[in-house]
Amino acid sequence: MSKADWSAIEALDPPHLEQLFKEDDGRVARLSLDVAGIHFDWSKTHLTRDAIAAFEKLAKATDLAGKREAMFAGKHVNVTEDRAAEHTAERGEGAEESVAKAGALHARMRALIDAIESGAFGEVRHILHTGIGGSALGPHLLVDALGREDSRYDVAIVSNVDGVAMEDAFKRFDPKATLLVIASKTFTTTETMLNAASALQWMTEGGVEDPYGKVVALTASPDKAIEWGVDETRVLPFSESVGGRYSLWSSIGFPAALALGWDAFQELLDGAAEMDRHFRLAALHENAPALAAFADLFYTQVKHAETRAPFAYDERLRLLPSYLQQLEMESNGKGVTVEGKPVGRPTAAITWGGVGTDAQHAVFQLLHQGTHLVPVEFIGVIEAGDTLAGDHHRQLLMNMFAQGAALMSGRANDADPARSYPGDRPSSTLLLDALDPHTLGALIAFYEHRVFVNAVLLDINPFDQFGVELGKEMAKAADKGGQSFDASTDDLIARAFG
Ligand code: F6P
């Protein structure tokens, strides 16, 4: 196979999923893996021995191993921005210098947390974190997933520039007991800057004597934070080479580290590091991120699936689908190769999804009988998060297992087509032993590396995001006024603002 020769993959034509099971007793064992407290099962996808072999060849031709090592070594794999992508160094897996730098910045973060806990900031009961995109989705996921029982503070993560979001937090919090956390890699994002200014004003009006003294900045642009008015001692920097949607491991994870405690944050990093080592060392046919990416690519390239849908069968992971939307779509929603040529094939599937069992009663109709092929991913946790006497958790998991089985088997009803289920609909299942920081760290790192494998095999750069710039620029121009757009946009602006 020459470089990026997809012909063997495009020629794959596996039979019905049930047939694949009939043909191969060892299918479940061969397509299941256990890594870092997570059981992965791809047996209900159409991955076959031939498919895996064809993807392994493509991985070789596109130098996946070399590019993976280049990423871990801190080489400038983000070619369009001439930067490294060093999120793994944050968890101790990367170039020696970068790991040391990340460790020093973590120590600084930990010292600030110790100071807050020892009362150096006065009474702090509430954490008001403002950031957007990667500066909000990661910390929000962590706090929501792990902070239900153990959170030592009341945390609000406000991202939307709609003032309603900020006002909701103001209603809940006492300004005198609030720590304002401004999270922005660039420290220029208009939504975050406006939210931060409004929060500071609320603290001032609420009688906080030195509101700037209660502000912490999380950023890769410390000079800009200092210029904004944050004291240098309360700026927690992180490296420019950590991308926004890969940044929860850096100081962007501060609200989680503060609310859950340092030990929990360290466990999160350790779990991710365990997945890093697995990704780096395991052969591709038993490598979780690689197998997941092979299945992704089989469905997007061969079966022309336009979307994929993760469903978290655990209330604590309800924010996982929106976290994955940014990770997958901002990373791999690209149209050109790393050399800037048209990529010529579909790139990232559209990620959507939801929470089980709610989604079963809302969108699963389409999954079972609709005309779109949607690879589904189930994410469940063996250890229950609740303590209720009823059988909530058992029902939750049984529903998840039943949905995967039903999607696969279907049920023919020749007499009544409306009641017929075609089946042969793929799903993968991720079953966590427990939802703890270690396992969650490993889970998130798994998704990061899966995105990377997809990108390498598609020859695209997962680490830039120029697609978001044009809209930002035009919003700024519109806000300034005096600029004409198209007739429709001009009319809408005139209707809203006269
Ligand atoms: O607009 C997209 C984006 O740049 C994301 O990549 C990023 O996570 C988000 O905006 C927030 O950026 P910042 O952390 O610089 O405020």
Side-chain angles (χ1 to χ4, degrees), residues 3 52 129 156 162 165 233 238 274 283 360 363 371 431 436 445 453 455:
K3 185 173 191 298
I52 292 170
H129 173 109
D162 186 339
T233 56
F238 65 95
E274 189 176 345
Q360 288 175 204
V363 297
T371 51
L431 200 51
D436 53 32
V453 177

Side-chain angles (χ1 to χ4, degrees), residues 132-135 183-189 192 244-245 326 330 465 468-469 472:
I132 199 163
S135 295
S184 175
K185 180 174 176 184
T186 53
F187 230 78
T188 56
T189 302
T192 302
R245 54 192 170 276
Q326 188 202 20
E330 194 166 80
Q465 60 283 319
V468 299
E469 296 305 326
K472 279 189 199 171

Side-chain angles (χ1 to χ4, degrees), residues 386-394:
D386 72 293
T387 53
L388 298 182
D391 248 355
H392 292 263
H393 196 65
R394 187 179 164 79

